[in-house]
């Protein structure tokens, strides 16, 4: 009963930056952690980052640690993913999802639900 809509994807040069947004458009009755995943052509969907409902705790995949920053604005029901120092390997469809937990951070695909439609990020070299 909650819809997630990602936006902000696009084409950028390697080394550039991009900020993705994920807005919850439906009524929410639970405060939960949020996560970002990505899926490149021919590859499985992989974990990128997650943030607790309060925003006090975050976790990142090793491949993006130090380059990506996840944040959220609960007043706007929106979570963000700031991507810096982008690499061609970051090219993928990026998905936002709601976690089943409030404060526990998980990188497991099965711990998330209410997936968005995804937004394409393409990094050229």
């Amino acid at each position: 009963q909650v819809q997630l809509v990602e936006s902000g994807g696009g084409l950028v040069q390697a080394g550039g930056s991009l900020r993705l947004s994920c807005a919850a458009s439906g009524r929410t009755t639970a405060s939960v952690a949020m996560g970002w995943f990505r899926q490149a052509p021919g590859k499985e969907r992989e974990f990128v980052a997650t943030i607790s409902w309060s925003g006090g705790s975050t976790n990142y995949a090793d491949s993006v640690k130090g380059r990506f920053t996840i944040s959220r604005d609960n007043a706007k029901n929106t979570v963000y993913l700031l991507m810096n120092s982008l690499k061609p390997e970051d090219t993928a469809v990026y998905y936002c999802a709601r976690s089943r937990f409030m404060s526990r951070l998980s990188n497991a695909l099965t711990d998330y639900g209410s997936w968005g439609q995804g937004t394409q990020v393409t990094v050229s070299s």
Side-chain angles (χ1 to χ4, degrees), residues 11-18 66-68 82-91 121-125:
L11 173 63
V12 297
Q13 292 278 343
S17 299
L18 203 62
R67 299 188 298 121
F68 291 11
L82 176 61
M83 305 181 293
N84 294 321
S85 302
L86 283 164
K87 306 174 181 179
E89 305 92 270
D90 295 319
T91 295
V121 172
T122 303
V123 184
S124 63
S125 59

Side-chain angles (χ1 to χ4, degrees), residues 69-121:
T69 302
I70 187 172
S71 62
R72 67 190 300 165
D73 185 342
N74 289 338
K76 296 181 178 180
N77 290 320
T78 302
V79 62
Y80 306 95
L81 184 68
L82 176 61
M83 305 181 293
N84 294 321
S85 302
L86 283 164
K87 306 174 181 179
E89 305 92 270
D90 295 319
T91 295
V93 176
Y94 283 71
Y95 298 90
C96 176
R98 297 180 77 239
S99 172
R100 63 187 300 173
F101 306 113
M102 178 183 297
S103 59
R104 178 180 176 180
L105 302 182
S106 174
N107 62 359
L109 184 67
T110 55
D111 284 334
Y112 294 82
S114 299
W115 294 85
Q117 85 289 348
T119 185
Q120 176 70 49
V121 172

